[in-house]
Amino acid sequence: MKETYHVTGMTCTACSSHVEKAVGKVAGVRSVSVNLMTGSMLVDYDQTAVTPADIVEAVVDAGYGASLPGAAKTARREGTQPPDTLGEELRQMKLRLILSFCFLIPLFYLSMGHMMGWPLPALFHGRENAMLFALTQFLLVLPILYINDKYYKVGFKTLWKRAPNMDSLIALGSAAAVLYGVAALYQIAWGLGHGDAARVDKWSMDLYLESAGMILTLITLGKFLETRSKGKTGQAISRLMDLSPKTATVLRNGAEVEVPVEEVAVGERIVVKPGGRVPVDGVVVEGWSSVDESALTGESIPVEKAPGAKVAAASINQSGTFTFEATRVGEDTTLSQMIRLVEEASASKAPIAKLADRVAGVFVPVVIGIALVTALVWLAVTGGDIARALTAGVAVLVISCPCALGLATPVAIMVGTGKGAEHGILIKSAQALETLHAIDTVVLDKTGTLTQGKPRVTEVLPLGDTTEEELLCVAASLEKPSEHPLSSAIVSAAQEREIPLAPVSGFAALHGKGIRGEIQGGQFLAGNAALLADEGISLGAAAGQAEELAAQGKTPLFFARDGELLGIIAVADLPKPTSAAAVEGFHALGIRVVMLTGDNARTAQAVGRSLGVDEIIAEVLPQDKERQVAALQSQGRKVAMVGDGINDAPALARADVGLAIGAGTDVAIESADIVLMKSDLLDAVTAVELSKSVIRNIKQNLFWAFIYNIIGIPLAAGVWYPLFHIMLNPMFASAAMSMSSVCVVSNALRLRLFKPRFSPSAPSAPSDTPCGCGEPISTKGVFSMTKKLTIEGMMCSHCTGRVEKALSALEGVSSVVMDLEGKSATVTLSADVSDALLTQTVTDAGYEVTAIQ
């Protein structure tokens, strides 16, 4: 079982490290990853050995709060975060900040007034008023301590449990300053009561109460700025959540009923009107429309939807009304899976983060030790100057906050995965995001990845007096009864050009060679060169044309009538419009491109050469693809694999990073580390670019976080005082600590400006009619007629499907187009079919023909 929990009370990376250790020790927990940014914890555990309650108990025992996954899911549906929302946290922090400044400003003015020459009331001048001066400062700092008591509650609690965190450092530092101030109050009182003027003068100038107030207020200011910036990093997830509609219009008992989207069940029919969002995943059963799927895929062009087409939750219906049947609801929808993947990726940890985690695990105890040693050394060196020793010790505690170190990686990972989602790139883990930047070889599947995945007619080459239209008519008529993929390409080409088909009799498939059939008394053949050789038909000059087509990776199909060659039609699986640009993009990033395919070597070489692929491995059996990837890895290469089929799944899992084409199978997507929702290979290049940008950003953040502490701690401890007479006041230390975290988060937010260098330059998709034809034509010597039947009784797509099937079964009917809204069927005839027969056929199907035109 893998579940996400909400954890409260964490303030720095030391907290997340302690929570991980506490939960990791629970028997039955396989792995745990805590995300400080989102306050979430991803736990992979054996549900037969441990329960969610045991995991929550471990977190509570460590000094933090946790909620069960069910509560987190409910809260996630209702808002953008679990119960303690980011907005509420910001409002509370802002109020604390305003109130803190209200007391800090007069405190600071009073404490620094004598030193800066600022005007002060006579009440605070003179040795005789020293107690009033000190007591007023004490009363002003008390509200600041109360307003920011969270640091003490959490800091001392974790310290007591021997798991000190950032709050422990703040609590110790500010508490030490306050206790010193209280001691000063007693010293002043003693001096005034015993006439010890020197004692009064010394201690009234060394109260340090303003330092405690300033530390707490500046830390809260830094936390406020940090939290506000962190809120921007989660905007991608928030936007995804906002896309989901709250209600759905469901057909129940023949009526449209609006229900909460959570109540929609699989199999129910949902109506989506123009401008509405699709509430769940499903399949269109009635109506036509164009749907904007940009929220899910990043693709701005609307997609046409007709009966049988799939629709996904959160896509927007732009034109007509349609009805679809729900297939995935609740947590199973595409949108929910996207949110889950982005959240899990954000919660996971990249290998580069392990260094920061190891340091953070011992950082706070080490800092407390350094602060104590610093104070003792200064006490000894200065001959017992408590003020100097306290200044150095508190400064070390305050400046050494591990926030910047803890935020360096998760902020960048969260922004990066969110940015990927905006571009239709779903990154499943931080590890995949990091590994991808080091890739030096990318292996690409050919069919469906580099190419469109379905054959298309590229050339129609008639011979003699035969026209292109006649050749296509004969070819499509012969190929229509066949189930071969190449046959469907030819039939589609004829349909796109609105060429009517002729009835075929005596159809026979010749295994491995082609087909034969009779059209209007003529004997026709369709197939490869071997079939024509068996029939004694000479190719003549056409042999050269066929050879040239084959060299280009296309499949030439020959057509003959009564022993005479009519022409050649070339069919090929064409490259996707952006494949060449993607290969060029990989090269620009210094990545070697390998094409791996089960296709024959000649076709593979032709496609590979045309796209600029570096290495072509052809005729690979499905089970051997994984072996080929392993072979490349054995050469010391970092390999990424891009594929879409079930046979690609082992290779995707074997590769250092697997990228699945979004339109591929569920098995391939489950096996991959990254999913390309748009099925565009150029997005794989974008993913590599994004990975490089994120890792570069993380390295910058870690560098500055480490440098900050390497410079800050010695400066606060007074190491440089003997040489340069420089020491860091605790107030400036707290300001520096706060700004370090803000700087790290701000640097990570620069990733939101990421734009891919390699984007499609509006490539023109291969023409649907590559041979180029004009208006529908009337083919010589072929009967063609169109009739429109008006039919009563059709209520849904099942009705139209029944009528279409019945009419299509009639001999002489070449095509049937159904119109549910118009209650009609348009029938194209290749032979004379009487109105009576058409009417009887529809009647037998259970419907009534009211008119024939």
Side-chain angles (χ1 to χ4, degrees), residues 468-762:
E468 284 190 11
E469 290 75 19
E470 286 179 317
L471 180 57
L472 257 182
C473 175
V474 167
S477 298
L478 279 173
E479 298 285 3
K480 185 167 184 178
S482 173
E483 296 179 354
H484 196 280
L486 299 184
S487 301
S488 62
I490 294 174
V491 173
S492 295
Q495 289 176 343
E496 287 161 3
R497 297 175 67 168
E498 298 185 11
I499 296 175
L501 306 186
V504 177
S505 59
F507 175 86
L510 308 172
H511 184 67
K513 295 181 180 179
I515 54 178
R516 70 165 73 245
E518 183 179 327
I519 302 176
Q520 298 182 0
Q523 296 295 322
F524 289 84
L525 291 172
N528 55 25
L531 174 62
L532 269 63
D534 290 348
E535 297 293 329
I537 301 173
S538 173
L539 295 179
Q545 289 179 301
E547 187 66 26
E548 186 179 343
L549 290 170
Q552 296 171 9
K554 300 171 182 176
T555 303
L557 299 175
F558 301 93
F559 297 87
R561 177 178 56 199
D562 297 330
E564 180 184 349
L565 190 62
L566 290 176
I568 305 171
I569 294 180
V571 178
D573 182 9
L574 298 174
K576 290 181 178 178
T578 56
S579 291
V583 172
E584 186 179 338
F586 282 125
H587 287 158
L589 293 171
I591 296 174
R592 181 178 177 81
V593 182
V594 177
M595 186 175 80
L596 188 63
T597 178
D599 210 342
N600 66 77
R602 190 171 190 175
T603 301
Q605 288 289 340
V607 173
R609 281 197 308 269
S610 69
L611 296 175
V613 172
D614 299 303
E615 184 179 347
I616 299 162
I617 305 174
E619 299 178 358
V620 179
L621 295 174
Q623 59 268 30
D624 291 337
K625 285 189 175 184
E626 183 263 350
R627 196 177 303 158
Q628 291 291 341
V629 170
L632 290 169
Q633 289 173 322
S634 67
Q635 297 171 18
R637 298 186 186 182
K638 281 278 189 180
V639 181
M641 168 76 187
V642 186
D644 69 331
I646 292 175
N647 59 333
D648 295 325
L652 289 168
R654 164 64 66 181
D656 295 285
V657 181
L659 298 95
I661 294 294
T665 64
D666 289 341
V667 176
I669 292 172
E670 285 298 321
S671 304
D673 303 297
I674 295 172
V675 181
L676 310 177
M677 295 293 289
K678 282 189 288 188
S679 301
D680 189 341
L681 191 58
L682 212 52
D683 285 342
V685 183
T686 300
V688 176
E689 281 189 89
L690 181 61
S691 172
K692 289 180 181 290
S693 296
V694 169
I695 298 306
R696 184 165 55 247
N697 192 281
I698 288 174
K699 287 179 177 178
Q700 291 168 356
N701 288 347
L702 286 173
F703 172 79
W704 288 114
F706 276 114
I707 287 296
Y708 161 80
N709 282 295
I710 288 170
I711 295 174
I713 291 176
L715 183 62
V719 172
W720 306 116
Y721 187 81
L723 295 176
F724 307 107
H725 293 282
I726 297 174
M727 275 198 74
L728 200 62
N729 185 284
M731 290 187 290
F732 293 109
S734 62
M737 189 285 299
S738 296
M739 291 314 298
S740 69
S741 299
V742 174
C743 288
V744 165
V745 175
S746 299
N747 184 51
L749 286 175
R750 290 191 308 109
L751 287 169
R752 296 172 69 203
L753 304 175
F754 169 82
K755 289 183 180 177
R757 279 189 295 159
F758 308 99
S759 55
S761 53

Side-chain angles (χ1 to χ4, degrees), residues 64 435 485 536 777 794:
Y64 303 90
T435 306
I777 36 85
M794 296 191 300

Side-chain angles (χ1 to χ4, degrees), residues 1 3 38 97 165 343 394 425 529 573 577 585 625 643 650 677 817:
M1 177 70 73
E3 288 185 314
T38 58
L97 189 61
N165 63 1
E343 284 181 335
V394 171
I425 302 166
D573 182 9
K625 285 189 175 184
M677 295 293 289
V817 177

Side-chain angles (χ1 to χ4, degrees), residues 5 67 84 267 281 289 387 401 446 455 543 565 763 797 853:
Y5 294 73
S67 58
D84 184 20
D281 292 3
S289 182
C401 177
K446 181 179 81 70
L565 190 62
S797 60
Q853 298 174 336

